[in-house]
Amino acid sequence: MLYLWLKALHIISMVCWFAGLFYLPRLFVYHAQSEDTVSKERFSLMERKLYRGIMGPAMIATLIFGIALIGLNPAIFSQGAWIHAKLTLVVILIGYHHMCGAQVKRFARGENTRSHVFYRWFNEVPVLILLAIVILVVVRPF
């Protein structure tokens, strides 16, 4: 029963993390398009609160619950290469998360040099990772 509770909490925290990973780059799009000081300050505040208040804790919770699941079922590593691929994507996602954090700081300092078009493409990265992770976990193709 503990395993199922941990799995539920892992999924819930992952959904919260991905919500932030989808929304923050969208804020970057609008922030990059903004021209007045009031809008730029408002976007910086929203970005900082989203990153620190929601995304960071959700990422940590996702990792804690995921590690706990592996701790309760270490045999999962012998069930196929899908888990290794999934964990590789999680590491890439953590890197993406930290890239978002670096962008939050650049915007706050007024040092953004990228266009809204860049952020529109940047916003698609977590979508592709989510698709791959869900397919790996559900289908277990290898």
Side-chain angles (χ1 to χ4, degrees):
M1 187 58 110
L2 174 61
Y3 189 84
L4 295 177
W5 277 104
L6 289 172
K7 187 185 277 190
L9 292 170
H10 178 66
I11 293 168
I12 291 165
S13 57
M14 182 270 309
V15 168
C16 293
W17 185 23
F18 267 96
L21 289 170
F22 292 153
Y23 186 50
L24 185 61
R26 179 54 49 183
L27 288 176
F28 294 159
V29 169
Y30 301 137
H31 196 158
Q33 289 178 316
S34 67
E35 297 178 9
D36 61 292
T37 305
V38 173
S39 294
K40 290 179 182 192
E41 289 174 357
R42 182 178 301 121
F43 283 121
S44 285
L45 178 66
M46 291 170 66
E47 291 158 359
R48 182 176 49 83
K49 286 184 174 186
L50 176 62
Y51 185 77
R52 290 186 183 170
I54 296 172
M55 291 172 63
M59 178 187 70
I60 291 168
T62 301
L63 296 174
I64 289 171
F65 295 129
I67 291 167
L69 287 167
I70 290 170
L72 288 175
N73 184 19
I76 197 164
F77 288 109
S78 64
Q79 295 177 358
W82 69 269
I83 187 70
H84 301 284
K86 178 202 173 189
L87 293 176
T88 300
L89 289 171
V90 170
V91 169
I92 292 168
L93 197 62
I94 292 167
Y96 180 86
H97 175 97
H98 289 293
M99 287 174 63
C100 286
Q103 282 305 126
V104 168
K105 291 176 184 176
R106 279 189 203 99
F107 272 115
R109 293 189 307 257
E111 298 173 356
N112 176 55
T113 58
R114 295 187 168 122
S115 73
H116 66 93
V117 175
F118 170 84
Y119 293 112
R120 288 181 195 280
W121 285 102
F122 185 71
N123 191 35
E124 301 307 318
V125 172
V127 174
L128 298 174
I129 293 174
L130 177 63
L131 289 170
I133 287 175
V134 169
I135 290 168
L136 287 167
V137 172
V138 174
V139 178
R140 297 183 182 187
F142 46 86

